[in-house]
């Protein structure tokens, strides 16, 4: 196969040859003759003359090859005490029926279907069932509130919505159906039908004529064979946070996605047919889409679907139990999960109860992997810990240590080197390429490799404006960092108003828009403050109208409530303080970065353009009331 260098340079010098070769990893209805269609820049399309079905590739072809009895999905739910397994054969029948059910409800190729579900096998069946029919799924994370769901309903305009009666969070049951009903009521677009999976813990009320009960609708549905789609047809839309309250619908195509993900399994993750692969994430995030569902199944692996938390379900040994019980070869999660385990069980005493020798690699992504956590995980598990870097927009890693090709030296704090097709530059504000070790904006030269977003759902102009305009000829990642002399990348910060909370992307702009709706809030700013467990937490500073007569504590509590109700509990929004005025430059720009430095106890200098320096003292006092900066250990 050659070295990483050979593979990377091969892909750069002959992209057509490289990606057509990679396309052989997929079963096509019409094999593509061309790799890249670059006739309409900056809209690039991969494998434009190819046709296929993604569900067929993830399921049927393994059954056709005699793998029907192999386990496709291991469902392990310590939070409910349930566990089960589903073979590829059973998954084929279930997805075929699901697709048949959708079709009988009037859903056709190209129609959108929203999936608002907890971590149960039916969620995967729903995603694959959409893919089988050629319908475009849009999974909305279960921790989002009704208003967020409504925004997505209005953007995606789904013909059907698939949901469940409830989710399970530690100590409480989250009733999904009232949230779904509220979202549909508030959305301008109305789906024709909802299919509701009734879970044991809670039964949902169904709306006559609109809602169907999953079992009744699915059990006897006709089995639909895979519908052929173009490689460039959309497989799914996944919404992600940007600078404003309007989430962006990242589009994923069928062909490029299948090729890139199938390539990634042996080459990046050193995983192949029959191996047990576990991405401890949620199907609502891109990691869940790519590495709980599509990539492991495309590769013929057994994927683990985990409904629980790294600690507290029931203890900090649950990851080790799952590795040993299911013989997991590769674990992929966010560093937060390991920080939580390390905090609860610093010496990893729980490990003594389990044999984790099946584990060969731990992969981390979603947020910066701090060296302490990497070293702890490496020491305790005795496997290489591989940091890798990617985004919802790319669908697969931009940078990684491709252990399936060769394991490169691990440098702590770096997600290593670019994957094939990603030509990554560090750019200055004027677009000039920075020298090694110099900090700048991280950008990927166009065209991007297969699987990367071809556009934003229904918004070609917004795609160009948000991603392709700042640096002509490049995709702007929104991350800042540098490359060292060996070409290793270091991700240091975001260049926009996005913060990263427990591996989830949150828009501070969006939180500000919600806070500003509170009738007593005249002005506000949300900053990300460092947090030992979750990486960052949002912190709101609000200025009240002089006419406000409510006690300050009450307004703060209401502000927290408002964000949790509008955005969802996943915002982890618990920190609010009041100040008289926001610190601004003379031109009116709020000094968020300076406030974040004060909160984090970092060195900061008085901006020369500040309107009134006294306000920053007031900010520091307000932050102290919330315990910031945190005392150092
Ligand atoms: N449905 C409803 N509510 C949800 C939810 C879901 N699917 N997922 C999370 N929530 C709620 C939680 O109950 C919590 O509510 P609370 O603050 O009122 O208690 C809130 O959203 C924040 O959730 P979470 O980020 O999971 O924090 P936590 O404090 O419950 O747990 C960790 C902390 C570290 C254990 C947890 O963040 C974790 O497992 N992180 C792993 C990171 C990860 O998987 N990232 C995915 C990207 S790769
Ligand atoms: P999301 O689209 O939600 O997966 O978030 C992507 C963002 O998470 C990236 O743009 C980075 O800011 C951050 N991120 C992901 N992986 C890493 C990593 N390995 N190191 C540092 N930051 C990361």
């Amino acid at each position: 196969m050659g070295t990483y260098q050979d593979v990377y340079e091969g892909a750069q010098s002959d992209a057509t040859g490289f990606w057509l070769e990679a396309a052989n990893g997929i079963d096509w209805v019409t094999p593509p003759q061309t790799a890249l269609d670059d006739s309409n820049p900056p809209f690039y399309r991969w494998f434009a003359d190819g046709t296929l079905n993604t569900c067929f590739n993830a399921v049927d072809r393994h059954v056709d090859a005699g793998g029907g009895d192999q386990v496709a999905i291991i469902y392990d739910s310590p939070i409910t005490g349930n566990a089960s397994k589903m073979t590829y054969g059973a998954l084929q029948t279930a997805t075929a029926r699901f697709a048949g059910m959708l079709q009988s409800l009037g859903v056709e190729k190209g129609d959108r279907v929203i999936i608002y579900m907890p971590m149960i096998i039916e969620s995967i069946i729903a995603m694959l069932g959409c893919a089988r029919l050629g319908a475009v799924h849009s999974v909305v994370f279960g921790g989002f509130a009704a208003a967020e769901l409504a925004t997505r309903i209005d953007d995606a305009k789904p013909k059907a919505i698939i949901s469940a009666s409830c989710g399970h969070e530690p100590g409480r049951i989250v009733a999904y159906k009232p949230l779904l009903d509220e979202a549909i009521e508030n959305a301008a677009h109305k789906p024709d039908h909802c299919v509701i999976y009734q879970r044991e813990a809670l039964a949902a009320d169904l709306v006559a004529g609109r809602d169907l009960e999953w079992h009744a609708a699915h059990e006897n549905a006709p089995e639909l064979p895979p519908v052929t789609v173009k490689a460039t047809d959309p497989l799914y839309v996944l919404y992600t946070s940007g600078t404003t309250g309007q989430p962006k619908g990242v589009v994923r195509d069928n062909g490029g996605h299948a090729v890139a993900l199938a390539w990634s399994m042996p080459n990046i993750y050193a995983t192949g047919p029959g191996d047990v692969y576990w991405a401890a994430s949620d199907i609502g995030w891109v990691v869940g889409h790519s590495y709980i569902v599509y990539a492991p199944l495309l590769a013929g692996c057994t994927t683990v679907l985990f409904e629980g938390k790294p600690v507290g379900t029931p203890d900090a040994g649950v990851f080790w139990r799952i590795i040993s019980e299911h013989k997991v070869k590769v674990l992929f999660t966010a560093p937060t999960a390991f920080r939580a385990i390390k905090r609860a069980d610093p010496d990893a005493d729980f490990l003594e109860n389990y044999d984790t020798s099946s584990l060969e690699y731990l992969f981390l992504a979603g947020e910066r992997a701090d060296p302490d956590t990497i070293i702890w995980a490496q020491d305790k598990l005795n496997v290489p810990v591989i940091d890798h870097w990617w985004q919802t927009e790319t669908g697969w890693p931009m940078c990684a240590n491709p252990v399936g090709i060769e394991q490169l030296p691990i440098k702590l704090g770096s997600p290593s080197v670019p994957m094939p097709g990603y030509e990554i530059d560090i750019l200055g504000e004027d677009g000039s390429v920075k020298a090694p070790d110099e900090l700048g904006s991280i950008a990927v030269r166009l065209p991007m490799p297969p699987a990367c977003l071809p556009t934003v759902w229904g918004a070609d102009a917004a795609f160009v404006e948000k991603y392709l305009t700042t640096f002509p000829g490049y995709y702007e990642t929104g991350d800042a960092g540098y490359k060292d002399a060996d070409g290793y990348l270091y991700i240091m910060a975001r260049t926009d108003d996005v913060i990263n909370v427990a591996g989830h992307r949150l828009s501070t702009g969006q939180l500000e828009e919600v806070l500003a709706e509170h009738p007593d809030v005249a002005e506000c700013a949300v900053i990300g403050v460092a947090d030992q467990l979750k990486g960052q937490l949002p912190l709101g500073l609000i200025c009240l109208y002089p006419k406000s007569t409510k006690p300050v504590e009450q307004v703060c509590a209401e502000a927290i409530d408002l964000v949790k109700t509008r955005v969802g509990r996943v915002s982890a929004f618990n920190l609010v303080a009041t100040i008289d005025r926001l610190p601004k430059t003379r031109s009116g720009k709020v000094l968020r970065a300076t406030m974040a430095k004060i909160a984090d106890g970092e060195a900061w200098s008085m901006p020369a353009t500040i309107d009134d320096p006294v306000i920053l003292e007031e900010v520091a006092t307000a932050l102290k009331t919330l315990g910031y900066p945190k005392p150092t250990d």
Side-chain angles (χ1 to χ4, degrees):
M1 176 190 285
T3 62
Y4 156 74
Q5 207 62 32
D6 295 338
V7 173
Y8 181 75
E9 279 166 12
Q12 299 317 105
S13 61
D14 176 19
T16 299
F18 181 89
W19 288 113
L20 283 180
E21 170 68 30
N24 291 331
I26 288 305
D27 285 4
W28 299 85
V29 177
T30 320
Q33 302 303 310
T34 53
L36 180 70
D37 171 5
D38 57 2
S39 59
N40 183 28
F43 298 93
Y44 298 95
R45 310 310 312 259
W46 286 95
F47 312 115
D49 55 357
T51 63
L52 76 162
N53 182 278
T54 297
C55 177
F56 174 84
N57 275 278
V59 184
D60 302 58
R61 66 166 168 166
H62 307 309
V63 178
D64 292 352
D69 291 335
Q70 190 202 313
V71 174
I73 306 170
I74 296 173
Y75 167 62
D76 194 313
S77 171
I79 205 156
T80 59
N82 291 324
S84 62
K85 292 179 182 176
M86 184 174 260
T87 63
Y88 273 100
L91 184 59
Q92 182 183 36
T93 309
T95 54
R97 285 202 183 126
F98 190 87
M101 176 195 78
L102 281 182
Q103 195 179 50
S104 64
L105 294 178
V107 178
E108 293 170 16
K109 178 158 105 174
D111 287 339
R112 274 78 57 213
V113 174
I114 279 188
I115 299 175
Y116 183 58
M117 294 279 272
M119 290 283 284
I120 54 178
I121 287 187
E122 286 70 19
S123 309
I124 298 184
I125 294 170
M127 291 167 78
L128 292 169
C130 289
R132 192 174 193 87
L133 175 61
V136 182
H137 64 68
S138 187
V139 180
V140 177
F141 176 61
F144 280 128
E148 286 294 296
L149 181 55
T151 309
R152 287 154 175 80
I153 292 173
D154 276 337
D155 197 74
K157 300 191 173 44
K159 220 172 211 176
I161 300 186
I162 316 302
S163 190
S165 56
C166 68
H168 289 260
E169 282 293 295
R172 71 192 165 99
I173 286 169
V174 184
Y176 281 4
K177 188 61 181 10
L179 298 174
L180 175 63
D181 289 342
E182 187 186 333
I184 295 175
E185 196 178 316
N186 294 339
H189 173 84
K190 310 289 176 199
D192 295 344
H193 292 289
C194 297
V195 180
I196 309 295
Y197 184 86
Q198 300 278 22
R199 299 192 78 182
E200 237 175 80
L202 185 74
D205 294 333
L206 303 186
V207 176
R210 186 196 73 187
D211 298 347
L212 293 95
E213 196 274 316
W214 174 295
H215 283 109
H218 182 242
E219 225 158 50
N220 297 315
E223 290 181 26
L224 189 83
V227 171
T228 301
V229 300
K230 286 194 261 181
T232 51
D233 281 341
L235 170 68
Y236 69 76
V237 177
L238 179 58
Y239 289 87
T240 189
S241 299
T243 304
T244 65
Q246 182 63 30
K248 295 175 283 195
V250 168
V251 176
R252 191 84 58 219
D253 65 11
N254 273 276
H257 173 253
V259 171
L261 263 57
W263 185 89
S264 74
M265 289 303 278
N267 293 292
I268 299 180
Y269 299 98
T271 306
D275 288 336
V276 181
Y277 185 96
W278 176 25
S281 176
D282 189 286
I283 50 144
W285 310 119
V286 69
V287 173
H289 278 63
S290 293
Y291 291 102
I292 295 174
V293 184
Y294 287 108
L297 297 179
L298 285 166
C301 300
T302 296
T303 187
V304 179
L305 183 72
F306 170 64
E307 189 183 30
K309 302 267 176 178
V311 293
T313 59
D315 54 42
V318 68
F319 271 34
W320 322 145
R321 173 184 68 74
I322 289 189
I323 293 168
S324 84
E325 212 167 295
H326 305 305
K327 306 268 172 296
V328 173
K329 179 176 173 182
V330 171
L331 168 61
F332 174 176
T333 192
T336 307
F338 267 74
R339 286 198 295 269
I341 297 171
K342 179 172 158 233
R343 191 162 84 168
D345 182 19
D347 297 324
D349 290 335
F350 280 109
L351 255 179
E352 283 167 23
N353 307 332
Y354 302 103
D355 171 10
T356 58
S357 59
S358 62
L359 191 72
E360 293 185 15
Y361 297 101
L362 167 63
F363 282 84
L364 298 177
E367 55 174 326
R368 184 172 171 272
D370 51 295
D372 275 2
T373 303
I374 294 185
I375 292 167
W376 186 86
Q378 221 158 254
D379 280 359
K380 303 300 177 210
L381 291 171
N382 204 21
V383 295
V385 178
I386 311 291
D387 180 13
H388 61 331
W389 169 68
W390 50 301
Q391 310 182 302
T392 305
E393 288 83 348
T394 66
W396 66 294
M398 289 182 277
C399 275
N401 194 326
V403 295
I405 300 173
E406 64 165 326
Q407 188 177 316
L408 301 170
I410 292 173
K411 296 196 190 190
L412 287 181
S414 168
S416 302
V417 292
M419 291 299 91
Y422 290 104
E423 203 172 323
I424 298 174
D425 281 329
I426 309 296
L427 303 179
E429 273 177 29
D430 59 355
S432 59
V433 177
K434 296 273 189 184
D437 297 330
E438 279 182 4
L439 200 64
S441 296
I442 307 176
V444 184
R445 217 178 252 280
L446 297 176
M448 306 257 277
C452 294
L453 81 170
T455 191
V456 168
W457 181 254
D460 284 350
F463 168 61
V464 175
E465 188 220 310
K466 285 178 202 302
Y467 295 107
L468 309 179
T469 301
T470 312
F471 303 113
Y474 285 94
Y475 162 83
E476 184 185 10
T477 65
D479 286 330
Y482 64 92
K483 257 199 255 183
D484 71 10
D486 297 329
Y488 277 60
L489 200 74
Y490 293 77
I491 316 295
M492 305 307 288
R494 290 286 303 188
T495 56
D496 54 14
D497 295 328
V498 167
I499 61 171
N500 197 312
V501 179
H504 314 317
R505 215 156 117 177
L506 274 185
S507 157
T508 55
Q510 177 191 18
L511 302 186
E512 287 173 5
E513 283 173 27
V514 173
L515 282 177
E517 283 173 25
H518 189 288
D520 291 62
V521 173
E523 262 196 317
C524 63
V526 175
I527 56 174
V529 295
D531 181 70
Q532 281 208 332
L533 177 65
K534 296 196 177 186
Q536 281 186 299
L537 286 177
L539 183 153
L541 291 159
I542 56 178
C543 311
L544 305 189
Y545 282 114
K547 65 175 193 309
S548 170
T549 51
K550 276 188 196 159
V552 166
E553 299 73 30
Q554 186 185 337
V555 180
C556 289
E558 286 175 3
I560 290 173
D561 245 26
L562 187 63
V563 170
K564 291 208 169 164
T565 320
R566 294 291 303 275
V567 180
R569 293 217 205 185
V570 73
S571 60
F573 187 73
N574 295 306
L575 300 166
V576 178
T578 53
I579 46 177
D580 280 347
R581 283 171 300 154
L582 292 178
K584 292 182 184 168
T585 61
R586 281 192 282 278
S587 61
K589 198 168 171 290
V590 178
L591 294 165
R592 292 184 184 77
T594 310
M595 290 195 282
K597 281 191 175 148
I598 297 174
D600 290 345
E602 285 178 20
W604 60 279
S605 52
M606 185 66 71
T609 53
I610 191 163
D611 183 30
D612 180 356
V614 178
I615 304 177
L616 281 178
E617 284 171 29
E618 201 196 316
V619 167
T621 309
L623 289 171
K624 273 204 191 100
T625 63
L626 296 172
Y628 288 86
K630 292 272 177 212
T632 43
D633 297 334

